């Protein structure tokens, strides 16, 4: 079945450091891929998405590229801020269904 | 894009009792979903609830334990029945709606934090 595997946390970085959170997936067909973010005390929000191979999703300085050859969708940001501290979830949605499958989540902490 | 509210935001319940969680959306949506997020874990889909039909439950979840109502296109309830401490989780309502990016997207409510003692 479909699944998502993402980098285990917690990840702790200093402000302005480069961020990569790895995510790989297993799916039949051509799923859509997502990164969701959950800030402390808040609900889940869509951060970015990509719907086909080689698409790049971007938002708030974060980027992720849909790599079909490596079945990956790694999240990157060039210079993180304290306000980026949150839990990040990689997820996929099969093209034939509305159900979203989430990875285990990666807690990111940024120190000033 | 949909705005979702949930009631209650949190509750502490005794084992053996039941709790009904309400989900209200500010627009009419066809598909609504209920997820569970156990402490420190990811989100797991409980069921999909479409208006006018029975909810569809995922493997490991049954209607007797998690009955769902979907009386109209803006509202749904999830009941957690005969609770045990293992039911302590955050329960999230989600809807699929037309998003700002020009495609259908899933939006999530703020969640209901349930603690069972």
């Amino acid at each position: 079945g479909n699944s998502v595997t993402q980098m285990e946390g917690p990840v702790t970085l200093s402000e302005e450091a480069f961020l990569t959170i790895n995510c790989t997936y297993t799916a039949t067909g051509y799923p859509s891929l997502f990164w969701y973010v959950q800030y402390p005390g808040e609900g889940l929000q869509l951060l970015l998405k990509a719907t086909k191979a080689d698409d790049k999703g971007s938002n708030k300085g974060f980027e992720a590229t849909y790599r079909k050859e490596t079945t990956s969708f790694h999240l990157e940001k060039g210079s993180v801020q304290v306000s980026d501290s949150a839990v990040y979830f990689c997820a996929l949605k099969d093209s034939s269904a509305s159900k979203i499958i989430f990875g285990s989540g990666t807690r990111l902490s940024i120190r000033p | 894009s949909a705005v979702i509210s949930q009631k209650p935001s949190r509750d502490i319940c005794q084992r053996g009792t039941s709790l009904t969680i309400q989900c209200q959306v500010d627009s009419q949506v066809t598909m609504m979903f209920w997820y569970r997020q156990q402490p420190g874990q990811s989100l797991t889909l409980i069921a999909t609830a479409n208006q006018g039909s029975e909810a569809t439950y995922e493997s490991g979840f049954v209607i007797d334990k998690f009955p769902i109502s979907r009386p109209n296109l803006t509202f749904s309830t999830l009941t957690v029945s005969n609770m045990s401490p293992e039911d302590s989780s955050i329960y999230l309502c989600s809807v699929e709606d037309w998003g700002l990016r020009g495609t259908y997207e899933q939006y999530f409510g703020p969640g209901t934090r349930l603690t069972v003692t």
Side-chain angles (χ1 to χ4, degrees):
Chain A
N2 296 344
S3 65
V4 176
T5 302
Q6 67 179 97
M7 179 174 171
E8 285 203 21
V11 174
T12 303
L13 296 172
S14 296
E15 204 165 21
E16 300 183 2
F18 184 86
L19 168 72
T20 299
I21 300 178
N22 290 338
C23 171
T24 57
Y25 68 91
T26 302
T28 54
Y30 302 94
S32 295
L33 302 175
F34 308 86
W35 277 99
Y36 282 84
V37 59
Q38 190 173 37
Y39 296 104
E42 298 185 17
L44 204 64
Q45 302 173 26
L46 178 63
L47 179 61
L48 53 84
K49 64 186 279 190
T51 57
K52 60 183 188 296
D54 300 324
D55 263 3
K56 178 186 285 188
S58 61
N59 187 25
K60 299 182 180 181
F62 290 90
E63 292 184 341
T65 301
Y66 190 144
R67 301 284 189 202
K68 187 163 176 60
E69 64 276 13
T70 55
T71 62
S72 65
F73 193 55
H74 305 321
L75 183 68
E76 296 182 335
K77 185 172 185 181
S79 176
V80 292
Q81 306 299 313
V82 172
S83 57
D84 294 327
S85 298
V87 181
Y88 292 82
F89 293 92
C90 185
L92 72 79
K93 186 168 87 167
D94 190 276
S95 55
S96 62
S98 290
K99 172 176 142 178
I100 292 184
I101 295 170
F102 288 87
S104 56
T106 302
R107 182 175 299 278
L108 173 67
S109 296
I110 307 299
R111 49 174 186 255
Chain B
S1 60
V3 176
I4 304 168
S5 59
Q6 287 185 233
K7 288 182 183 179
S9 59
R10 58 178 63 224
D11 207 342
I12 300 173
C13 301
Q14 291 192 342
R15 70 170 67 211
T17 63
S18 297
L19 176 72
T20 295
I21 302 167
Q22 299 179 8
C23 176
Q24 180 74 53
V25 191
D26 69 342
S27 58
Q28 294 184 338
V29 294
T30 301
M31 303 193 75
M32 296 180 79
F33 309 86
W34 286 98
Y35 286 83
R36 181 174 75 181
Q37 186 178 16
Q38 292 178 300
Q41 303 295 314
S42 186
L43 284 79
T44 302
L45 181 64
I46 297 172
T48 302
N50 293 336
Q51 194 267 338
S53 62
E54 294 283 327
T56 302
Y57 289 82
E58 297 296 306
S59 175
F61 298 96
V62 295
I63 188 171
D64 289 347
K65 175 68 175 177
F66 297 102
I68 288 171
S69 78
R70 182 78 203 274
N72 57 52
L73 291 173
T74 63
F75 188 78
S76 177
T77 67
L78 170 76
T79 299
V80 186
S81 303
N82 188 24
M83 289 184 282
S84 67
E86 292 71 34
D87 294 320
S88 298
S89 294
I90 298 173
Y91 291 85
L92 296 106
C93 173
S94 171
V95 305
E96 190 172 72
D97 196 18
W98 192 253
L100 299 176
R101 295 173 175 82
T103 61
Y104 279 99
E105 296 180 2
Q106 277 206 5
Y107 297 88
F108 288 82
T112 295
R113 185 180 293 273
L114 171 62
T115 302
V116 184
T117 60

